[in-house]
Amino acid sequence: MKGSLWRTMVLAMCIAVAAGCGNDHPDGRVDLRLRARIDRLNKGAFMNRFDDPRLSIDCAYRAVDLVRDSLPDYHDGLMRAYNSLAFGYYMVAEHDSAAAYTDSVMAVAEGPAARWKHSLHRNAEVERVIAQLMQVRLLQRSCRIADSYQLLYDINQSKVLKRQPDNYLYSFAQMEYFITSLTLNYHYRNSAMASSSGTTLSADTKADLRALLEEVEMARQGLKCDYAEDMSLNYALAHSYYRLAAASGSDPRLLGKAYDYLADNAKLLSIPGQGCIYHLANVFQLQAFIAADTNIQRQTYISDPHCRKKLDRLIQLTQKVLPTDTTLAAPDYGLSMFEVSTDLFFQTVDPYQHLGAVVAAAEFCLHVGAYDQAYAYYSMALDDTTWHDGMAPKFESMLYDGLIRMGYSSSAEDNTRWYSREMELLDLIGRNESADLMLQDRLFQSETRNRYYILTIVVGAVSLVVLTVLVMLLRHRSRVLRREKKALQQAKQQDIERIANVETCLSVLRHDINPFLSYLTNKSLSPEMRQEVLDQLLRTFANIKNWTNLSIPSGLQFQSSVFALGEVFDNVAASCVRLHPDVDLVFYPTTINVQGDKQLTEILIRNLVNNALQHTAAGKVTVLAEVYDADSRFVHIEVADTGTGMDSETLENLFRADKKVQPDTDPNASHGTGFGLILCKYIIKRHDDNTLRGCRIWAESEPGQGSTFHCLLAGSGNEGWKPYPWRIKNNNN
């Protein structure tokens, strides 16, 4: 009787607890069989996230449909499915879709689920953090380092992951946080990549990485998720220790730690049913990085007993999974590891990894002189249609740099396109790295200010006047630092522009003066021709001086004013020298006013007139200005000659420093400096940058028919201007 009564009381308590949970928790009333089915689909999506991302996406979609159709209140299941979709699309590099599903998680978390207070609903907080970590990964791939670090910082400050409850969801989120943080420090936060170039880490990055590694290893023992997550964290730890070893003088202790985690992954991959292509490729690629890094001495991992013991296990994995005769001491060990890892990555569906594997392997091939293999890898990248512009700025910039350095294509058009794209990407990466440095400094200042405030509170009885002074000093210091940062950024940008200008200057100068120098060494050259060559050289160096004054930060500044163009014509007419007596130089009178830099405009017209005179043996050179008939806000300057003219190819490349036309080999022919026209183009650009009007320069020409150069500058106060009489007559006809 007592046993029956006891069973009845226990049953009643269970019913009461179930009813109470149902009243407090929206999910307490769900159909348990449907919920179990959704959980199975979510588990399938999770377990296949690396091995078969497409299957993972399919399972997650089915879970989402089931929740929407049958269990709309099962928020945990819906958020888990959204997170699986985000991870799956991340693994196939469909980043827009991945971002859309992280936003879906946020929408659920900030809706009714955000108001849950019951302890059973803490899972919603963790799912939200998992979505934020995926956002961090997407930001990292786009090289938005500052935004990535800021979001990681916010996650850490939220303390959600500090509770450390004993369940797989928290472990997964914590491991993802560690993986993402480690990856940020050893890869995305440094411009150098681990391939054939030496590993470089800043002192601050090394200190941050060491502290993070200590934190990860302390927490690692209590984190239990699945073997795939274990391998992901092992790889992040191995890569971090390798980068530290290379940046610390090939430290064998740190390198040994890297091999410990690589060997752990080799052990996991050797277990039947746990061989994942993605993680297998990572194991081989990291071995390739170590072999390729110029800061790692091969003797370090061959002779060190600890490293060698772990390496033997990795070699056993190599021979077991992919039979090969490659030995550790073989000269082509690094090439073999890159070849194996690249083949494995191309068996996955992640185009981001395809591109990363190819550029790393090709870079190493260039370093060791294996140019045929480098060519083959670059061909793989160019033929791979799965990746697209903007998917991986860091890898994409490395691709174009390698293509140009190895001379992959002899087409100037290809090389120009690659160079332009590389410059865009490097500018993007540089701006994001600068933003990251600013963020670190800002956070450091914030922490410093917090310490000051805490110290003030602890000390206690500080007068109001002293406190006010401290606040004012801090604010003043903050403003000073902001101004200094802005000045440093401007100086850095000016340095970049100056370097680019110097490169252009040297390139053009080499093309321009070589023919004239060769003429001067010709003893049979007539005195008249020798004098003309000397005049050409003097004009070249005068243009270089003007270019330098325009290019350097402390040089000639743009002085905007409204001036009479007729005065400029008079100055140019007085300074131009006609080398051929049969050429008439005609400046048509003008009353037009121009808004711009008067000195630069004079240099512009002088160069155009000199260029016309040099290429006209007989006839005339005319210079006129008028209000542009297509847009009266502009002044149209026209310099026309009856000289030799140009073909279409010369005309197309006229203002480009990288497309110089070789001078005529005839010693009696007239030669232009080439630099003058490029300087003209630059002066027009300076006018356009400062007036924002759309100033431009172009030319029209046919062989034997002379040439006409056109410039558009900003006009001012030309409302009453009258066209030239012959222009009116021609228009009437």
Side-chain angles (χ1 to χ4, degrees), residues 370-399:
Y371 298 108
D372 290 342
Q373 289 174 267
Y375 188 92
Y377 282 124
Y378 285 129
S379 296
M380 289 174 65
L382 294 176
D383 294 340
D384 185 7
T385 59
T386 59
W387 69 274
H388 56 82
D389 288 350
M391 182 190 73
K394 199 166 191 178
F395 292 145
E396 192 180 348
S397 67
M398 291 180 63
L399 170 65

Short mmCIF file of all heavy atoms in Angstrom, two decimals, residues 370-399:
data_model
loop_
_atom_site.label_atom_id
_atom_site.label_comp_id
_atom_site.label_asym_id
_atom_site.label_seq_id
_atom_site.Cartn_x
_atom_site.Cartn_y
_atom_site.Cartn_z
N ALA A 370 60.48 26.55 -58.90
CA ALA A 370 59.68 25.57 -59.66
C ALA A 370 58.64 26.32 -60.48
O ALA A 370 57.44 26.31 -60.19
CB ALA A 370 59.02 24.57 -58.71
N TYR A 371 59.09 26.98 -61.55
CA TYR A 371 58.22 27.89 -62.29
C TYR A 371 57.12 27.16 -63.05
O TYR A 371 56.01 27.68 -63.20
CB TYR A 371 59.06 28.75 -63.24
CG TYR A 371 60.05 29.61 -62.51
CD1 TYR A 371 61.41 29.32 -62.55
CD2 TYR A 371 59.63 30.68 -61.74
CE1 TYR A 371 62.33 30.10 -61.85
CE2 TYR A 371 60.53 31.48 -61.05
CZ TYR A 371 61.88 31.17 -61.11
OH TYR A 371 62.77 31.94 -60.42
N ASP A 372 57.41 25.97 -63.56
CA ASP A 372 56.37 25.22 -64.28
C ASP A 372 55.22 24.87 -63.35
O ASP A 372 54.04 24.98 -63.72
CB ASP A 372 56.96 23.95 -64.89
CG ASP A 372 57.89 24.27 -66.05
OD1 ASP A 372 57.81 25.39 -66.59
OD2 ASP A 372 58.71 23.40 -66.41
N GLN A 373 55.54 24.45 -62.12
CA GLN A 373 54.48 24.12 -61.16
C GLN A 373 53.74 25.38 -60.73
O GLN A 373 52.52 25.34 -60.55
CB GLN A 373 55.09 23.41 -59.96
CG GLN A 373 55.55 21.99 -60.28
CD GLN A 373 56.28 21.35 -59.10
OE1 GLN A 373 57.49 21.43 -59.01
NE2 GLN A 373 55.53 20.73 -58.24
N ALA A 374 54.48 26.48 -60.56
CA ALA A 374 53.81 27.73 -60.21
C ALA A 374 52.83 28.13 -61.31
O ALA A 374 51.70 28.55 -61.04
CB ALA A 374 54.84 28.84 -59.99
N TYR A 375 53.26 27.99 -62.56
CA TYR A 375 52.39 28.31 -63.70
C TYR A 375 51.13 27.46 -63.66
O TYR A 375 50.02 27.93 -63.91
CB TYR A 375 53.16 28.10 -65.00
CG TYR A 375 52.42 28.57 -66.24
CD1 TYR A 375 52.61 29.86 -66.73
CD2 TYR A 375 51.53 27.74 -66.91
CE1 TYR A 375 51.94 30.31 -67.85
CE2 TYR A 375 50.84 28.18 -68.03
CZ TYR A 375 51.05 29.46 -68.50
OH TYR A 375 50.37 29.89 -69.60
N ALA A 376 51.31 26.15 -63.35
CA ALA A 376 50.16 25.25 -63.31
C ALA A 376 49.18 25.65 -62.21
O ALA A 376 47.96 25.63 -62.41
CB ALA A 376 50.64 23.81 -63.09
N TYR A 377 49.71 26.05 -61.04
CA TYR A 377 48.83 26.46 -59.94
C TYR A 377 48.07 27.75 -60.30
O TYR A 377 46.87 27.87 -60.04
CB TYR A 377 49.63 26.67 -58.66
CG TYR A 377 50.01 25.39 -57.96
CD1 TYR A 377 51.34 25.08 -57.68
CD2 TYR A 377 49.04 24.47 -57.57
CE1 TYR A 377 51.69 23.90 -57.04
CE2 TYR A 377 49.37 23.30 -56.93
CZ TYR A 377 50.70 23.01 -56.67
OH TYR A 377 51.03 21.85 -56.03
N TYR A 378 48.77 28.70 -60.90
CA TYR A 378 48.09 29.93 -61.29
C TYR A 378 47.03 29.66 -62.36
O TYR A 378 45.97 30.30 -62.37
CB TYR A 378 49.09 30.97 -61.80
CG TYR A 378 49.89 31.60 -60.69
CD1 TYR A 378 51.28 31.67 -60.75
CD2 TYR A 378 49.26 32.14 -59.58
CE1 TYR A 378 52.02 32.26 -59.73
CE2 TYR A 378 49.99 32.72 -58.56
CZ TYR A 378 51.36 32.78 -58.64
OH TYR A 378 52.07 33.36 -57.62
N SER A 379 47.30 28.69 -63.22
CA SER A 379 46.29 28.32 -64.22
C SER A 379 45.06 27.73 -63.55
O SER A 379 43.93 27.99 -63.96
CB SER A 379 46.89 27.31 -65.21
OG SER A 379 47.95 27.89 -65.95
N MET A 380 45.29 26.92 -62.51
CA MET A 380 44.16 26.36 -61.75
C MET A 380 43.29 27.48 -61.19
O MET A 380 42.06 27.41 -61.23
CB MET A 380 44.66 25.47 -60.62
CG MET A 380 45.27 24.15 -61.06
SD MET A 380 45.99 23.24 -59.66
CE MET A 380 44.52 22.91 -58.69
N ALA A 381 43.95 28.51 -60.64
CA ALA A 381 43.19 29.63 -60.05
C ALA A 381 42.39 30.38 -61.11
O ALA A 381 41.22 30.71 -60.90
CB ALA A 381 44.14 30.58 -59.33
N LEU A 382 43.03 30.64 -62.26
CA LEU A 382 42.34 31.40 -63.30
C LEU A 382 41.23 30.60 -63.96
O LEU A 382 40.25 31.17 -64.44
CB LEU A 382 43.35 31.85 -64.36
CG LEU A 382 44.41 32.86 -63.87
CD1 LEU A 382 45.41 33.17 -64.97
CD2 LEU A 382 43.76 34.15 -63.39
N ASP A 383 41.40 29.26 -64.01
CA ASP A 383 40.38 28.42 -64.63
C ASP A 383 39.25 28.05 -63.68
O ASP A 383 38.22 27.54 -64.13
CB ASP A 383 41.03 27.13 -65.16
CG ASP A 383 42.01 27.40 -66.30
OD1 ASP A 383 41.90 28.48 -66.91
OD2 ASP A 383 42.89 26.56 -66.55
N ASP A 384 39.46 28.26 -62.38
CA ASP A 384 38.45 27.90 -61.39
C ASP A 384 37.33 28.94 -61.41
O ASP A 384 37.52 30.11 -61.07
CB ASP A 384 39.09 27.84 -60.00
CG ASP A 384 38.12 27.36 -58.94
OD1 ASP A 384 37.00 26.95 -59.30
OD2 ASP A 384 38.48 27.38 -57.75
N THR A 385 36.16 28.53 -61.80
CA THR A 385 35.01 29.45 -61.93
C THR A 385 34.21 29.57 -60.64
O THR A 385 33.21 30.28 -60.61
CB THR A 385 34.08 28.98 -63.06
OG1 THR A 385 33.60 27.65 -62.75
CG2 THR A 385 34.80 28.98 -64.39
N THR A 386 34.63 28.87 -59.57
CA THR A 386 33.83 28.89 -58.35
C THR A 386 34.11 30.12 -57.49
O THR A 386 33.27 30.50 -56.68
CB THR A 386 34.11 27.63 -57.51
OG1 THR A 386 35.52 27.58 -57.18
CG2 THR A 386 33.73 26.39 -58.28
N TRP A 387 35.28 30.74 -57.63
CA TRP A 387 35.55 31.93 -56.81
C TRP A 387 35.24 33.19 -57.62
O TRP A 387 35.24 33.17 -58.84
CB TRP A 387 36.99 31.94 -56.29
CG TRP A 387 38.06 32.14 -57.32
CD1 TRP A 387 38.66 31.18 -58.07
CD2 TRP A 387 38.66 33.37 -57.72
NE1 TRP A 387 39.60 31.74 -58.89
CE2 TRP A 387 39.63 33.08 -58.71
CE3 TRP A 387 38.49 34.70 -57.34
CZ2 TRP A 387 40.41 34.06 -59.31
CZ3 TRP A 387 39.26 35.68 -57.94
CH2 TRP A 387 40.21 35.35 -58.91
N HIS A 388 35.02 34.28 -56.91
CA HIS A 388 34.63 35.53 -57.56
C HIS A 388 35.32 36.69 -56.87
O HIS A 388 35.84 36.57 -55.75
CB HIS A 388 33.11 35.72 -57.51
CG HIS A 388 32.56 35.66 -56.11
ND1 HIS A 388 32.57 36.73 -55.26
CD2 HIS A 388 31.99 34.63 -55.43
CE1 HIS A 388 32.03 36.39 -54.10
NE2 HIS A 388 31.67 35.12 -54.17
N ASP A 389 35.35 37.84 -57.56
CA ASP A 389 35.98 39.04 -57.01
C ASP A 389 35.32 39.42 -55.69
O ASP A 389 34.09 39.40 -55.56
CB ASP A 389 35.86 40.21 -57.99
CG ASP A 389 36.77 40.03 -59.19
OD1 ASP A 389 37.62 39.12 -59.15
OD2 ASP A 389 36.63 40.80 -60.15
N GLY A 390 36.13 39.79 -54.74
CA GLY A 390 35.62 40.23 -53.45
C GLY A 390 35.40 39.12 -52.46
O GLY A 390 35.11 39.38 -51.30
N MET A 391 35.53 37.87 -52.89
CA MET A 391 35.30 36.74 -51.99
C MET A 391 36.42 36.61 -50.98
O MET A 391 36.20 36.30 -49.82
CB MET A 391 35.18 35.43 -52.80
CG MET A 391 34.88 34.20 -51.97
SD MET A 391 35.03 32.70 -52.95
CE MET A 391 36.80 32.59 -53.14
N ALA A 392 37.66 36.84 -51.41
CA ALA A 392 38.83 36.67 -50.55
C ALA A 392 39.87 37.72 -50.93
O ALA A 392 40.80 37.42 -51.68
CB ALA A 392 39.39 35.26 -50.69
N PRO A 393 39.74 38.97 -50.46
CA PRO A 393 40.66 40.03 -50.89
C PRO A 393 42.13 39.68 -50.67
O PRO A 393 42.97 39.99 -51.50
CB PRO A 393 40.23 41.23 -50.03
CG PRO A 393 38.81 40.95 -49.67
CD PRO A 393 38.70 39.46 -49.54
N LYS A 394 42.44 39.03 -49.54
CA LYS A 394 43.84 38.75 -49.24
C LYS A 394 44.43 37.77 -50.23
O LYS A 394 45.51 37.98 -50.79
CB LYS A 394 43.95 38.20 -47.82
CG LYS A 394 45.34 38.29 -47.22
CD LYS A 394 45.29 38.07 -45.73
CE LYS A 394 46.62 38.42 -45.08
NZ LYS A 394 46.59 38.27 -43.63
N PHE A 395 43.71 36.66 -50.49
CA PHE A 395 44.20 35.67 -51.44
C PHE A 395 44.20 36.23 -52.86
O PHE A 395 45.10 35.95 -53.66
CB PHE A 395 43.34 34.41 -51.39
CG PHE A 395 43.46 33.64 -50.10
CD1 PHE A 395 42.37 32.97 -49.56
CD2 PHE A 395 44.66 33.58 -49.42
CE1 PHE A 395 42.47 32.27 -48.38
CE2 PHE A 395 44.77 32.89 -48.23
CZ PHE A 395 43.68 32.24 -47.70
N GLU A 396 43.17 37.01 -53.18
CA GLU A 396 43.07 37.55 -54.54
C GLU A 396 44.23 38.50 -54.84
O GLU A 396 44.81 38.47 -55.94
CB GLU A 396 41.74 38.28 -54.70
CG GLU A 396 41.41 38.61 -56.14
CD GLU A 396 40.08 39.34 -56.28
OE1 GLU A 396 39.31 39.39 -55.31
OE2 GLU A 396 39.83 39.88 -57.37
N SER A 397 44.63 39.33 -53.87
CA SER A 397 45.76 40.22 -54.10
C SER A 397 47.05 39.43 -54.27
O SER A 397 47.91 39.79 -55.08
CB SER A 397 45.89 41.21 -52.93
OG SER A 397 46.27 40.55 -51.74
N MET A 398 47.21 38.34 -53.50
CA MET A 398 48.40 37.49 -53.65
C MET A 398 48.42 36.84 -55.04
O MET A 398 49.49 36.69 -55.65
CB MET A 398 48.40 36.40 -52.58
CG MET A 398 48.65 36.90 -51.17
SD MET A 398 48.61 35.55 -49.99
CE MET A 398 50.01 34.57 -50.54
N LEU A 399 47.25 36.47 -55.55
CA LEU A 399 47.18 35.86 -56.88
C LEU A 399 47.70 36.83 -57.94
O LEU A 399 48.56 36.47 -58.75
CB LEU A 399 45.72 35.47 -57.18
CG LEU A 399 45.43 35.04 -58.63
CD1 LEU A 399 46.18 33.76 -58.98
CD2 LEU A 399 43.92 34.87 -58.84
#
